[in-house]
Amino acid sequence: MKVLNNVITIFVVIIIAFIIIPLPTFLLDMMFIVNITLSIMILLMTMYVKNSLQFSVFPSMLLITTLFRLSLNISSTRLILTKSGHAGQVIETFGTFVLAGNIVVGFIIFLIIVLVNFLVITKGAERVSEVSARFKLDAMPGKQMAIDADLSSGLITEEVALTRRSDIQREAEFYGAMDGATKFVKGDAIASIVITLINFLGGTIIGMVQGGQDFSSVLTTYTIATVGEGLVSQLPALLISTATGMIVTRAASDSSLSMDVTRQFFAQPLVLVITGVAISCMCLIPGMPWPQILLVSVMMITIGFVLRKRSKEEEQVLAAATGAGSLPIGGSEEIEDETTYYKNIDNIYGLLQIDLIEMEFGYSIIPLVDEGSGSSFIDRLVSFRKQFAIEMGVVIPAVRLRDNGSLNPNQYVVKIKGEMISEGEVLVDYYLALDPGNLTGNIDGIETIEPAYGIPSKWITTDKKEMAEIYGYTVIDPLSVVVTHLSETIRKHAYEVLTRQDVIQLLESAKRSDPALVEDVVPNLISYSRLQKVLCSLLKEGVPIRDMETILSTLSDYAATVRETEVLTEYVRQALKRTITRKWSDGGQIRVITLDSEVERVIANSINRGDQGTYLSLDPQTTQTIITKLIDSIKKVKAVINVPIILTSPVVRIYFSKLLEQFYPGAVVLSFNELNSDVQIQAVANITLE
């Protein structure tokens, strides 16, 4: 294993040794064969990788293979000039085969190969690498913000976010390295031309002056050796240059290059048929070889019709699998069957059931969420369910997906318990560009508002995506817009979908670690319904309920003496101070807006007790003053804190939270007892009555 770890180091040392140490012809032949083999392997690797990061060592391999070829060039030049043109069987065979008895033709073919490599492939790969490196580096901030948006919405985990950030950085470093590495190939092509001229001129002089041969013999001998040596080195160089062009032009994909080309070329059978017909028209040109033209034309038309027939068969199979076309043709039969079915009263009760969470879509965006169309909507929803369970301790129920012909084609709605909670519109063939507030340029698009967070945005076409990222926009695909909106809606209304059955399952899960605690608390000290109210109250204000052991332990201490569920919830919140501090603090620090002591005194004096429990009876004028000043303060410190956090005393927290919910539901109200003592509290504003 240690030898394998050092194989590249040993190989590079051997390459450098080849430059100094004369090689025998049999070893030089072996090295030429190894060079060609390595070049073919690298070319095939670039065709089968799905993205450039799967072959991220390519820039280093480019340097090593270039150095390897140059060392072999030097070794072969040494043998050509010292062995009267004999530098091994590989060089002699290549030279004899290409020349084919004509020195001028062979030399021209060799020069054409070198020029094609130098001017076409290498020059193009160099330009693509340069542009790609610049665009990848410019787009990094936008991509990083997109990852942060997915992470904050729960679509991905922290590990996935770290991996994606690392991939973005590695991709930028890769294209930056390729921008410089292509210069190796360019220099190698120039060096090959120079070495070929040296071999030819040096061999001719040595043969005529030192060897005493006539010009014709010298020309034949050294031309074969020169052209053979040039071809042996340029063939691998051409393969490596092609591999360079392949990998810098390769877009990220889920399959290899061969599969992508085959799938995309044959995706439109009608194009093949039209191409075959167009090619057949060339037979009308006098002197054209019509047998070859007709052969190609018939092949294209045949392939087109075969693929078209296969595509129709697949559509029919898919339609049959999804139940399309299975409805009765006669409307009267359908009504009769439906009437017969609903004569049974028990079947009507099925109409009364409602789904906890459901989404309805207009017909234009159905492919966006349909697995049959290749959508990853379900997979991303599963990822969010897993992330939400880890974060909040609640398992989101299944989401019912429906199409709704009454909606706009691009519209979707989210319903909870049968009632619409939120809605939005997406353009399937566009990208949503969010304005983070620090743009370096403006881009044209359809003005809109991002549905989940209300951020000013634009719908832009695919060709403007890279430029939008360069300008600083956060670019999101339509599917991510829908998933983010759904996830944020579920976060805000998680307390509404926590059923009695969910509470029982949470208790069953808690029994695995501490069965005695669960049996002691529920239902002896607290009923299932009251426990559900406590958990729903925590979720409503964004407090995770994953730590059921702490929740049940606190309830066991206070449930017997505290009658009001709201007060009982406050004790639970204080017991979950570590969880609350972690959720809303950042780096051991939490920025808050505080209430003046006079404001808290006024609120505390306005707390009254009735038959249904305690409530806040604050006069409207005082309420208006407090809320107005609070909202003004939130606007002033918006650049400092994204989520407004108001810190109060434990006595008024619950009442102020209820009051603020009517005017600013996005704010978080915490008490001093709900924060760890080690967290640093920084007050950015203070609310007074003056």
Side-chain angles (χ1 to χ4, degrees):
M1 194 66 180
K2 293 182 178 179
V3 176
L4 292 177
N5 293 336
N6 298 320
V7 65
I8 297 300
T9 305
I10 297 172
F11 186 61
V12 172
V13 173
I14 292 175
I15 289 173
I16 297 174
F18 286 169
I19 299 176
I20 303 171
I21 302 173
L23 298 181
T25 55
F26 77 90
L27 184 56
L28 185 61
D29 287 341
M30 175 62 75
M31 290 300 103
F32 278 131
I33 294 173
V34 171
N35 188 24
I36 296 173
T37 303
L38 189 60
S39 303
I40 295 174
M41 185 185 302
I42 292 175
L43 176 62
L44 294 178
M45 280 287 294
T46 59
M47 297 176 68
Y48 278 92
V49 295
K50 296 178 181 179
N51 57 68
S52 57
L53 292 183
Q54 291 186 344
F55 199 18
S56 58
V57 297
F58 184 81
S60 299
M61 290 301 299
L62 196 61
L63 172 60
I64 293 174
T65 53
T66 302
L67 182 62
F68 188 30
R69 285 196 303 276
L70 291 175
S71 68
L72 295 181
N73 283 340
I74 294 173
S75 298
S76 59
T77 298
R78 184 185 292 112
L79 291 177
I80 289 173
L81 297 180
T82 57
K83 300 292 184 180
S84 300
H86 181 66
Q89 295 181 358
V90 175
I91 290 178
E92 183 178 355
T93 302
F94 266 87
T96 305
F97 177 76
V98 173
L99 290 178
N102 193 321
I103 297 175
V104 177
V105 173
F107 226 98
I108 291 174
I109 292 174
F110 166 72
L111 290 177
I112 290 175
I113 293 175
V114 174
L115 292 176
V116 166
N117 184 19
F118 178 66
L119 296 179
V120 181
I121 301 177
T122 304
K123 195 70 175 177
E126 179 185 4
R127 179 57 178 166
V128 172
S129 298
E130 178 184 350
V131 174
S132 299
R134 186 174 73 249
F135 275 86
K136 292 294 180 182
L137 290 172
D138 292 341
M140 277 185 67
K143 292 182 178 180
Q144 295 280 10
M145 293 182 67
I147 294 173
D148 293 338
D150 286 348
L151 180 62
S152 62
S153 63
L155 298 179
I156 58 175
T157 62
E158 185 68 32
E159 292 76 12
V160 174
L162 290 173
T163 302
R164 286 174 56 179
R165 290 192 187 102
S166 176
D167 288 344
I168 291 174
Q169 185 175 0
R170 289 173 57 208
E171 192 176 41
E173 292 174 352
F174 173 82
Y175 282 99
M178 285 300 301
D179 185 22
T182 50
K183 304 296 190 298
F184 299 146
V185 182
K186 181 178 180 181
D188 179 51
I190 297 174
S192 179
I193 297 175
V194 174
I195 291 173
T196 301
L197 293 176
I198 291 174
N199 288 340
F200 181 73
L201 295 177
T204 302
I205 294 173
I206 291 174
M208 294 181 64
V209 176
Q210 297 181 1
Q213 301 177 16
D214 59 275
F215 181 74
S216 177
S217 300
V218 170
L219 187 63
T220 302
T221 301
Y222 285 98
T223 300
I224 292 175
T226 300
V227 173
E229 191 274 339
L231 286 174
V232 170
S233 62
Q234 278 307 297
L235 178 60
L238 183 63
L239 295 175
I240 295 295
S241 299
T242 305
T244 304
M246 286 279 189
I247 200 164
V248 296
T249 57
R250 185 86 168 97
S253 174
D254 294 328
S255 55
S256 64
L257 178 63
S258 299
M259 293 182 64
D260 284 343
V261 171
T262 303
R263 182 172 58 245
Q264 295 177 24
F265 255 84
F266 294 157
Q268 303 295 335
L270 186 60
V271 173
L272 300 178
V273 175
I274 296 175
T275 303
V277 174
I279 290 295
S280 64
C281 294
M282 294 178 64
C283 292
L284 302 176
I285 303 175
M288 293 296 288
W290 61 267
Q292 294 91 323
I293 294 175
L294 289 179
L295 177 62
V296 174
S297 176
V298 170
M299 289 177 58
M300 296 292 289
I301 295 174
T302 303
I303 295 174
F305 276 114
V306 170
L307 292 175
R308 186 176 178 84
K309 181 180 178 181
R310 183 181 301 174
S311 177
K312 289 184 177 179
E313 291 176 352
E314 292 177 352
E315 290 178 0
Q316 293 175 357
V317 172
L318 181 61
T322 56
S326 61
L327 295 176
I329 297 176
S332 60
E333 294 181 5
E334 182 179 358
I335 295 173
E336 183 179 357
D337 292 341
E338 183 177 324
T339 303
T340 303
Y341 179 78
Y342 286 120
K343 281 182 179 179
N344 186 350
I345 297 178
D346 293 335
N347 294 333
I348 298 180
Y349 282 99
L351 300 175
L352 303 180
Q353 296 180 357
I354 59 175
D355 297 300
L356 285 177
I357 306 174
E358 60 180 313
M359 291 191 73
E360 295 181 351
F361 303 91
Y363 68 85
S364 292
I365 57 177
I366 290 177
L368 197 66
V369 297
D370 182 18
E371 282 188 300
S373 302
S375 172
S376 61
F377 179 79
I378 301 299
D379 294 336
R380 297 181 67 170
L381 192 58
V382 171
S383 299
F384 167 70
R385 180 180 288 116
K386 175 184 174 183
Q387 178 66 24
F388 192 77
I390 295 174
E391 179 183 343
M392 298 298 296
V394 180
V395 178
I396 299 301
V399 179
R400 176 78 67 179
L401 306 180
R402 308 178 189 272
D403 59 333
N404 189 339
S406 63
L407 297 177
N408 293 333
N410 299 318
Q411 186 183 11
Y412 65 90
V413 298
V414 181
K415 292 183 176 181
I416 292 182
K417 296 182 179 180
E419 299 297 332
M420 187 183 74
I421 299 298
S422 59
E423 61 180 333
E425 291 191 7
V426 294
L427 302 181
V428 177
D429 297 327
Y430 287 70
Y431 282 88
L432 187 65
L434 279 67
D435 180 5
N438 54 351
L439 300 177
T440 59
N442 192 26
I443 196 164
D444 295 331
I446 303 173
E447 300 284 348
T448 186
I449 298 295
E450 194 274 333
Y453 303 104
I455 303 174
S457 311
K458 293 181 179 180
W459 287 108
I460 60 174
T461 53
T462 305
D463 58 312
K464 297 178 181 178
K465 179 175 179 291
E466 293 284 348
M467 188 57 65
E469 291 176 341
I470 293 174
Y471 286 157
Y473 286 93
T474 302
V475 182
I476 306 176
D477 62 276
L479 180 58
S480 297
V481 175
V482 176
V483 174
T484 302
H485 192 191
L486 174 62
S487 63
E488 286 303 308
T489 302
I490 292 175
R491 286 179 186 277
K492 293 178 182 178
H493 299 271
Y495 66 97
E496 294 188 50
V497 298
L498 184 69
T499 64
R500 187 71 54 82
Q501 183 62 37
D502 293 331
V503 174
I504 294 175
Q505 290 182 348
L506 291 174
L507 292 175
E508 291 296 327
S509 178
K511 280 184 180 180
R512 299 171 188 170
S513 58
D514 196 344
L517 176 62
V518 177
E519 294 172 359
D520 179 57
V521 177
V522 184
N524 296 329
L525 295 177
I526 187 171
S527 63
Y528 286 102
S529 61
R530 196 179 184 197
L531 174 60
Q532 182 181 0
K533 290 180 181 179
V534 171
L535 298 179
C536 288
S537 298
L538 294 172
L539 291 175
K540 188 174 183 179
E541 296 194 59
V543 179
I545 60 172
R546 189 179 180 186
D547 188 3
M548 285 297 297
E549 185 175 350
T550 299
I551 294 174
L552 294 175
S553 297
T554 306
L555 293 176
S556 68
D557 294 335
Y558 297 99
T561 57
V562 177
R563 292 179 53 194
E564 296 184 18
T565 305
E566 294 176 344
V567 177
L568 192 60
T569 304
E570 292 300 302
Y571 285 119
V572 174
R573 288 176 60 98
Q574 294 174 16
L576 294 173
K577 63 169 59 179
R578 283 193 299 268
T579 301
I580 293 176
T581 303
R582 173 189 55 80
K583 183 174 177 63
W584 280 289
S585 64
D586 183 15
Q589 185 182 65
I590 183 170
R591 296 182 175 89
V592 299
I593 299 173
T594 58
L595 299 182
D596 186 69
S597 58
E598 180 64 21
V599 175
E600 291 206 355
R601 185 188 64 79
V602 170
I603 295 175
N605 292 337
S606 301
I607 300 174
N608 295 324
R609 181 177 297 275
D611 295 336
Q612 302 299 323
T614 56
Y615 62 94
L616 183 66
S617 60
L618 199 62
D619 65 272
Q621 184 176 358
T622 305
T623 301
Q624 183 67 28
T625 302
I626 295 174
I627 296 301
T628 301
K629 292 197 173 186
L630 177 61
I631 293 178
D632 290 341
S633 298
I634 290 175
K635 292 179 180 179
K636 291 179 182 179
V637 300
K638 190 174 182 179
V640 181
I641 52 176
N642 295 325
V643 179
I645 301 175
I646 295 88
L647 191 62
T648 70
S649 63
V651 177
V652 304
R653 194 213 72 83
I654 184 174
Y655 306 102
F656 189 74
S657 177
K658 288 183 178 181
L659 175 66
L660 189 58
E661 182 183 358
Q662 306 173 30
F663 302 96
Y664 203 100
V668 176
V669 182
L670 304 178
S671 72
F672 292 100
N673 290 0
E674 296 172 0
L675 297 178
N676 269 343
S677 57
D678 58 349
V679 67
Q680 181 181 356
I681 301 174
Q682 180 181 356
V684 295
N686 186 46
I687 308 303
T688 64
L689 291 176
E690 299 177 357

